[in-house]
Each structure stands twice: as structure tokens, then as C-alpha cells.
Amino acid sequence: MKNKGILFTLILLGAFFYFFANFQRIAIPGAIFDLLQHELDVSAPYITAFGAIFMYIYAFNQLVIGVLVDRYGGLRVMLAGGILLGIGALLFPLSSNLPLMYFSRALVGLGGSTFYLSLIRELRGLFSDKNFGLAISVMLFIGYTGGIAANAPFVFAMKYMSWREILVILAAVILLGAAVFALLSSRVKKPEVNRQVKLRTLPFRLVLHKRHNRNLFSFACCNFGISYAIQTIIGKKFLEDFCLMSSSKAAVVLSVMAVVAAVFNIVNASMCKICHNHRVVFLKNAALITFLSLLAICILLILNIRTDWIALIFCILAANASLTSLLVPVLHLTNRKMVSSTAVSIMNFCFFMMVGFLGTVMGFLLNLFPPEKIGNVQVYSSHSYLAVFGLFFALSVFELYKAQKLSNKY
């Protein structure tokens, strides 16, 4: 019973790490885009790279974390992840040297990628089948609140102290949490290292050999990537530059996006269940909604209509991209049990690789047209943002095409 209580506390600490991983993923550079650009005196590609580097590392790690968890256990992997997350989170605000700041983002991405699968593994062992789904939903909710805190609350706190001071305090909290985690985990009997578990290419080949999987991954990475790139990298800056919102108001919109994303993972699953689990029909409708939403934004940019209604479109995109509760069951239905977890890890890889790619490209697209310097802020024109959202729109066309290739029987 004592070990069970300690294990429960360790899982709560893991969820606490997951909260901060999500905070880091969304807050930088999204919430402080202008501040970073002013302090570092660099152009947009150097700023969007902060988000892209995190996403690339996070994406690649999705392919190996499952193997590490199976081999070493969730507690060992979470401890290593917490230490890396804390060190990276501390290095970033203490430096103004670009290479070192990029390295710190790589550490944060490496550490942040460890918690999702590790927590699921430990929850599986602690909770019965009856309560397992509820335990996962609570864990995910804690993680999503990190995304909510990364915008409006973070921007509000910057009225009282600098962003660097805030991030140093948060990093210290993470490192303290890692120290407590190490102390408590030493008192829990952990499973022996399973040396039979190795990274093999066969499961990946079996998953990617299926055309249905390839179509689903193509659809899903576009759907998620567009919404998440807006939420984590460009959305706040766009609302400030084009819609002329204040920093605080734009941050509130992005926090609302995070709330909508959290809620609609449950809403979409519930609605799908009511509609007799015709999941692919929901996915096809989602592709159409993405297409229409981005078409509307592009038209507003072309006509130079600066309206707060764009914030509502952003929230629609966030709701529309919350499809994990539908995509994972489809992957389990369309793949053998021995490779279904691999299929999910490939999908997660595709998600974050797309966000990283968009983060890299967006910086160069913004620079196609020179920004206007207003005070300490570089304001990008509607032409620059049309290039960015034009890319998003082109991806939505591809997403719509791939969605039509999915079989309706799932």
C-alpha cells in the first residue's frame, strides 16, 4: 500500500512535468515572439526556429520513446526526461547566445517527449481497466492546462516581472520536482531492465506498407500541423500585427484555443459515438472545415479586412484538429495488435514533424516582404501573412484530397 501511494505521487509529478513540457512547447516563441525579436535583434526565421527545433526533436523521439519505456520502465524514462527538461528550461532564459538557446530548446524537446508514453505505461499498471480511461483523461487535462497557462497567464505575469525571470523560476520548480522524483523513485521497486526489447524496423515497415495508413497520416499531419503551428508559433503575432489586437487580448485568444482543443477531444469522441462511430465521416468533415476556414482567412487577407472574427476561426481550427480520440481507434482497427502502438507513434511523429516544418518555412515566408518597424516591434504586412496562410491553404487542399481516400467503413 505504501509503494502504491508513492507510485501515485510519482505519477502526479510526471503529470506536473507534462504540464511544463506543454507550457514550453506553446509559450516559446508564440507568447514572446516580439520580445525575442527585439532583444536578439534577428529576423523572423531565427525566432520561428525556436519552435521548429523543439518540434523536430520531439517528433523524432516519438519513434523511440515507446521502446525505451518498454525496456527501462516509465519511471526511469520520466526521471531522465524531467532532468533534461529542467536543464533546457533553465538554459534558455539565462542566455542571449543563439546557438546555446537553440541547444536549450533541443534539450527541452528531448525531455518533454518522454512523459506521454511513460505516464500511460505507469497508469496502466496502477489503475484497473474500469478507471484506466478516466486516469488518462485526467493526465491529458493536466498537460493541456500547461498550454493554457503558456499564453494569457504568462503574458499577464510579464506585467510584474520579465519573461526571463518567469522562465528561470519555472525551471527551478521543474528541477526541484526532478529532485523529489529521484528521491521518491528510489523507494519504489522498479521492474528489471528488459534487454530483449530493441528498436526494430519491421513494425515500421508493416505500418507504412499499408496505403490506408499513409493516407491517414497525410491527412492527420496537415490537420494537426496547421492548427498547432498557429497556436504555438504564429497565431499571437498574427493577431497583433494584422488584427491589431493588444498582446494581452491575443494571448487570451490563444489560451482559449488551448481550452477548446482540450474540450473538443472529448466532444468529438462523444459526438462520434452518438453517430454510431462513423469516425472517417468525421475526419472527412474535419478536412472540409479546415479548407473552408483557411479559405476565409486568405480572403480576409486579400481584401485587407482586419476583423476580430479571425479569432473565432482560430478556435474552430483548434476544435477541428482535436481528433486524437478518433484517429487512435482507427489505427487500432486497421492494424494488427503487434504494430498498433507503432502506428500511433508514427502518427505522433508526423504531427510534430509537420509543425517543425511549418515553423521553419514560416520564418522565411514572413521575410518575403520587409516588416515595418513600429517602436521596438517589427510588424509584418498582410502580404507576408498571405504567404503563410496561403501555404496553410495549400496544405488544406492536400488534406481534403487525402481524406477522400480514407475508407468509410471505420
Side-chain angles (χ1 to χ4, degrees):
M1 185 62 71
K2 180 181 177 182
N3 269 0
K4 195 169 183 180
I6 295 175
L7 184 57
F8 183 76
T9 303
L10 287 168
I11 289 174
L12 284 179
L13 281 171
F16 156 89
F17 290 143
Y18 189 47
F19 167 93
F20 282 107
N22 278 283
F23 180 94
Q24 287 282 334
R25 187 162 65 190
I26 290 178
I28 303 168
I32 53 174
F33 194 108
D34 284 333
L35 293 172
L36 286 170
Q37 194 164 34
H38 170 62
E39 290 186 22
L40 300 174
D41 193 25
V42 293
S43 59
Y46 293 96
I47 304 301
T48 57
F50 288 127
I53 288 169
F54 178 102
M55 296 301 174
Y56 287 138
I57 299 296
Y58 196 99
F60 277 110
N61 247 26
Q62 296 308 300
L63 301 177
V64 299
I65 288 298
V67 175
L68 293 177
V69 169
D70 287 340
R71 185 178 174 93
Y72 297 105
L75 294 181
R76 293 187 181 97
V77 173
M78 277 194 284
L79 176 57
I83 294 170
L84 290 172
L85 177 67
I87 293 172
L90 183 62
L91 278 177
F92 186 82
L94 292 180
S95 176
S96 293
N97 176 274
L98 271 176
L100 184 56
M101 294 177 86
Y102 289 148
F103 174 68
S104 73
R105 291 299 289 165
L107 287 180
V108 170
L110 192 61
S113 66
T114 62
F115 304 118
Y116 177 75
L117 291 176
S118 297
L119 283 167
I120 288 178
R121 169 66 176 266
E122 296 305 320
L123 289 170
R124 175 78 271 182
L126 187 63
F127 290 91
S128 65
D129 289 341
K130 181 180 177 181
N131 297 316
F132 182 53
L134 178 61
I136 288 179
S137 67
V138 172
M139 180 267 287
L140 289 173
F141 178 79
I142 292 172
Y144 277 122
T145 57
I148 297 167
N151 276 294
F154 185 28
V155 170
F156 178 78
M158 280 189 275
K159 294 180 180 178
Y160 302 96
M161 61 182 76
S162 74
W163 67 269
R164 290 182 183 274
E165 291 171 331
I166 295 168
L167 292 183
V168 166
I169 292 171
L170 296 181
V173 172
I174 296 170
L175 290 170
L176 177 61
V180 174
F181 193 100
L183 179 64
L184 290 177
S185 65
S186 67
R187 299 169 62 184
V188 174
K189 182 175 173 57
K190 292 180 279 295
E192 295 293 324
V193 175
N194 187 353
R195 302 188 186 280
Q196 302 300 315
V197 176
K198 298 178 181 179
L199 185 64
R200 297 180 300 135
T201 61
L202 179 60
F204 294 95
R205 296 202 306 270
L206 290 173
V207 170
L208 293 173
H209 180 72
K210 293 188 68 171
R211 181 178 297 174
H212 183 274
N213 287 338
R214 297 197 301 271
N215 287 332
L216 190 68
F217 295 151
S218 298
F219 154 81
C221 75
C222 293
N223 179 270
F224 177 87
I226 292 167
S227 174
Y228 214 68
I230 290 171
Q231 190 178 346
T232 61
I233 300 175
I234 201 66
K236 181 173 178 287
K237 177 66 172 167
F238 171 71
L239 292 173
E240 291 171 12
D241 287 0
F242 183 73
C243 299
L244 306 178
M245 287 187 185
S246 66
S247 176
S248 299
K249 186 176 179 180
V252 168
V253 172
L254 272 293
S255 285
V256 171
M257 279 185 74
V259 173
V260 169
V263 170
F264 266 80
N265 249 318
I266 300 171
V267 170
N268 287 332
S270 301
M271 291 297 294
C272 186
K273 186 175 181 179
I274 292 171
C275 297
H276 308 291
N277 284 327
H278 293 307
R279 298 180 182 89
V280 172
V281 174
F282 271 74
L283 301 183
K284 290 182 177 181
N285 288 337
L288 180 61
I289 292 170
T290 301
F291 171 82
L292 293 174
S293 298
L294 291 166
L295 176 62
I297 293 176
C298 286
I299 290 173
L300 292 171
L301 282 164
I302 291 169
L303 299 178
N304 202 34
I305 299 175
R306 300 171 185 265
T307 171
D308 287 358
W309 285 103
I310 289 177
L312 176 61
I313 298 176
F314 279 6
C315 290
I316 291 171
L317 286 169
N320 196 53
S322 299
L323 299 174
T324 303
S325 54
L326 305 183
L327 291 165
V328 171
V330 170
L331 285 173
H332 278 272
L333 285 167
T334 55
N335 292 277
R336 286 181 284 175
K337 186 176 181 179
M338 64 174 288
V339 296
S340 58
S341 295
T342 301
V344 174
S345 71
I346 293 174
M347 183 177 70
N348 285 339
F349 165 80
C350 292
F351 279 170
F352 295 103
M353 184 57 69
M354 175 58 79
V355 180
F357 165 75
L358 290 176
T360 300
V361 174
M362 277 191 294
F364 292 100
L365 291 177
L366 286 174
N367 266 9
L368 287 177
F369 302 92
E372 179 185 359
K373 191 79 176 283
I374 299 178
N376 293 326
V377 177
Q378 295 187 42
V379 177
Y380 293 92
S381 69
S382 59
H383 300 295
S384 294
Y385 286 113
L386 183 58
V388 171
F389 281 91
L391 171 62
F392 291 169
F393 178 70
L395 287 174
S396 77
V397 174
F398 179 71
E399 174 190 335
L400 190 61
Y401 168 73
K402 284 297 182 179
Q404 301 313 308
K405 298 282 187 180
L406 301 176
S407 170
N408 284 320
K409 64 181 180 179
Y410 300 108

